[in-house]
Amino acid sequence: MYRSLLIHLDEGAHCAARADVAQRLARRFGAHLVGLAPSGRTPVSLSFAATAMLAEAAQAVRADAQRRADDFVAACHAAGLMSVEALADPEDAVVSLVDHAHCSDLVILGQGEDAAARAVVEHVVLECARPALVLPYAGTVDPIGERVLVAWNDSPEAARALRDALPMLRQAREVTVMRCDAPGGSVEELGAAIQGKLEALRRWLMWHGVDAQLRLEVSDLDAGELLLSRAADLGADLLVMGAWGRARWTQRWLGGATRTLLDSMTLPVLMSH
């Protein structure tokens, strides 16, 4: 069960819409809600004059972060949500989110509307010890978690994402677990080879109170594009998948499906790495 939710309060135009989703999820799970507004550190290896100018600018940024935190708490209280707090953290966004996620069950992020915001999401997804629910900046997220599509490929990342999504899956009306393999055999041949594994997965979900349907496909499409297509076909309002990639300093190596989903998502995606 999700008992503590953490949401990134950034400067994006769609932050209020994400906050509304976070409020609904906190109410659904009876969870404590934490808003986090990082403002970033001021460089110190500059001239005195430059540092003074940056310090003045940083003070304005910190004041704006505090305003976002205060507005978030006020909006939650106005919506009748009392178990809530918000922090204006002077740390960089990635460091702050990864650190505070340790005491949360789910991190709620926006997709990112520009390259800098997208980079924050990528880093947090790959470095965070908790699952991340990434919300698209386009469209309306309502409902969420009624019809869920789970991407499955037998990887540790997929297994962790499935486990991390159990609170959502238990409340869903429909859950579909989908595996896609590249061409090289018919669906029937592949089905015979892996049916035992998928059936074991279905039973495991059943033991956790989730009645899932299994779907096996053979396609040479990019896995991310295929998942988005099937999500639309099924009317899914949540996609669950493992995030594959490596984060090293300022460089990130993302798997193809992970990259496609972060760039082109049309529905919320719960990711675990």
Side-chain angles (χ1 to χ4, degrees):
M1 186 62 70
Y2 303 135
R3 293 303 187 191
S4 178
L5 308 179
L6 177 69
I7 178 173
H8 182 202
L9 304 176
D10 60 18
E11 305 95 331
H14 299 87
C15 186
R18 293 195 298 274
D20 178 69
V21 174
Q23 291 171 20
R24 285 188 274 125
L25 290 175
R27 191 174 291 110
R28 181 193 303 182
F29 294 107
H32 181 65
L33 183 57
V34 180
L36 184 62
S39 57
R41 290 186 172 183
T42 303
V44 294
S45 58
L46 300 173
S47 68
F48 178 80
T51 300
M53 293 177 61
L54 281 174
E56 183 177 352
Q59 185 176 4
V61 172
R62 288 194 295 269
D64 182 67
Q66 186 62 57
R67 176 194 58 77
R68 295 198 306 273
D70 294 341
D71 289 349
F72 175 74
V73 172
C76 289
H77 287 171
L81 199 62
M82 296 295 109
S83 185
V84 60
E85 62 180 297
L87 307 171
D89 189 355
E91 187 57 87
D92 291 327
V94 173
V95 174
S96 180
L97 286 162
V98 170
D99 183 49
H100 284 85
H102 292 162
C103 296
S104 300
D105 298 311
L106 181 68
V107 180
I108 301 172
L109 306 168
Q111 177 187 5
E113 301 170 45
D114 54 42
R118 196 72 54 83
V120 170
V121 176
E122 292 173 0
H123 270 297
V124 173
V125 166
L126 293 182
E127 298 175 24
C128 187
R130 296 290 184 262
L133 177 63
V134 186
L135 305 177
Y137 64 78
T140 301
V141 180
D142 188 20
I144 180 172
E146 290 192 0
R147 291 183 173 88
V148 184
L149 176 62
V150 178
W152 182 256
N153 62 359
D154 284 324
S155 69
E157 292 85 357
R160 180 176 179 181
L162 188 62
R163 181 199 63 193
D164 288 340
L166 280 175
M168 288 278 201
L169 301 182
R170 291 190 186 103
Q171 296 188 5
R173 292 169 51 192
E174 297 177 11
V175 176
T176 302
V177 178
M178 175 177 157
R179 170 167 176 150
C180 177
D181 284 274
S186 67
V187 172
E188 291 75 14
E189 292 171 339
L190 288 171
I194 65 176
Q195 188 62 38
K197 289 184 177 181
L198 288 176
E199 182 59 26
L201 181 64
R202 189 192 67 80
R203 289 198 305 270
W204 181 82
L205 286 168
M206 181 181 64
W207 295 333
H208 285 275
V210 179
D211 182 16
Q213 303 298 314
L214 304 178
R215 187 182 184 112
L216 175 61
E217 296 200 18
V218 175
S219 175
D220 56 3
L221 287 177
D222 171 81
E225 294 178 358
L226 182 62
L227 286 169
L228 290 175
S229 177
R230 291 300 172 266
D233 294 341
L234 296 169
D237 52 43
L238 177 65
L239 174 63
V240 175
M241 65 176 291
W244 187 89
R246 294 291 182 269
R248 291 292 184 271
W249 298 97
T250 59
Q251 295 183 342
R252 299 171 306 283
W253 289 270
L254 294 177
T258 307
R259 168 66 68 189
T260 299
L261 266 298
L262 288 177
D263 286 346
S264 308
M265 63 174 57
T266 54
L267 75 167
V269 182
L270 192 153
M271 290 183 165
S272 293
H273 177 59

